[in-house]
Short mmCIF file of all heavy atoms in Angstrom, two decimals:
data_model
loop_
_atom_site.label_atom_id
_atom_site.label_comp_id
_atom_site.label_asym_id
_atom_site.label_seq_id
_atom_site.Cartn_x
_atom_site.Cartn_y
_atom_site.Cartn_z
N LYS L 77 166.29 -23.96 111.76
CA LYS L 77 165.08 -24.43 112.44
C LYS L 77 164.16 -23.25 112.77
O LYS L 77 162.95 -23.30 112.49
CB LYS L 77 165.47 -25.17 113.73
CG LYS L 77 164.30 -25.86 114.40
CD LYS L 77 164.62 -26.26 115.84
CE LYS L 77 164.18 -25.16 116.80
NZ LYS L 77 164.30 -25.52 118.23
N ARG L 89 155.02 -18.32 103.85
CA ARG L 89 154.93 -19.62 103.17
C ARG L 89 154.17 -19.53 101.85
O ARG L 89 154.39 -20.31 100.93
CB ARG L 89 154.24 -20.62 104.10
CG ARG L 89 154.51 -22.07 103.75
CD ARG L 89 154.03 -22.93 104.86
NE ARG L 89 152.58 -22.88 104.94
CZ ARG L 89 151.81 -23.96 104.99
NH1 ARG L 89 152.35 -25.15 104.96
NH2 ARG L 89 150.50 -23.85 105.08
N GLY L 114 164.71 -14.04 99.27
CA GLY L 114 164.67 -14.97 100.40
C GLY L 114 166.00 -15.40 101.00
O GLY L 114 166.01 -16.20 101.92
N GLY L 141 160.55 -10.14 106.85
CA GLY L 141 159.70 -8.98 106.55
C GLY L 141 160.24 -8.17 105.37
O GLY L 141 159.48 -7.72 104.51
N ARG L 146 159.27 -6.89 99.88
CA ARG L 146 159.97 -6.63 98.61
C ARG L 146 160.75 -5.31 98.65
O ARG L 146 160.80 -4.56 97.67
CB ARG L 146 158.96 -6.60 97.43
CG ARG L 146 158.12 -7.86 97.32
CD ARG L 146 157.28 -7.86 96.07
NE ARG L 146 158.08 -8.19 94.89
CZ ARG L 146 157.61 -8.14 93.64
NH1 ARG L 146 156.37 -7.75 93.42
NH2 ARG L 146 158.39 -8.44 92.61
N LYS L 219 167.42 -3.49 122.17
CA LYS L 219 168.32 -3.07 123.25
C LYS L 219 169.75 -3.53 122.98
O LYS L 219 170.70 -2.80 123.24
CB LYS L 219 167.80 -3.58 124.59
CG LYS L 219 166.52 -2.83 124.99
CD LYS L 219 165.96 -3.26 126.32
CE LYS L 219 164.75 -2.37 126.65
NZ LYS L 219 163.80 -3.04 127.54
N MET L 234 170.04 11.22 110.38
CA MET L 234 171.19 11.10 109.48
C MET L 234 171.41 9.65 109.03
O MET L 234 172.22 9.37 108.19
CB MET L 234 172.47 11.58 110.16
CG MET L 234 172.40 13.00 110.66
SD MET L 234 172.19 14.17 109.32
CE MET L 234 173.84 14.08 108.62
#
Side-chain angles (χ1 to χ4, degrees):
K77 188 196 93 173
R89 200 168 68 129
R146 304 187 77 187
K219 289 181 176 154
M234 303 296 287

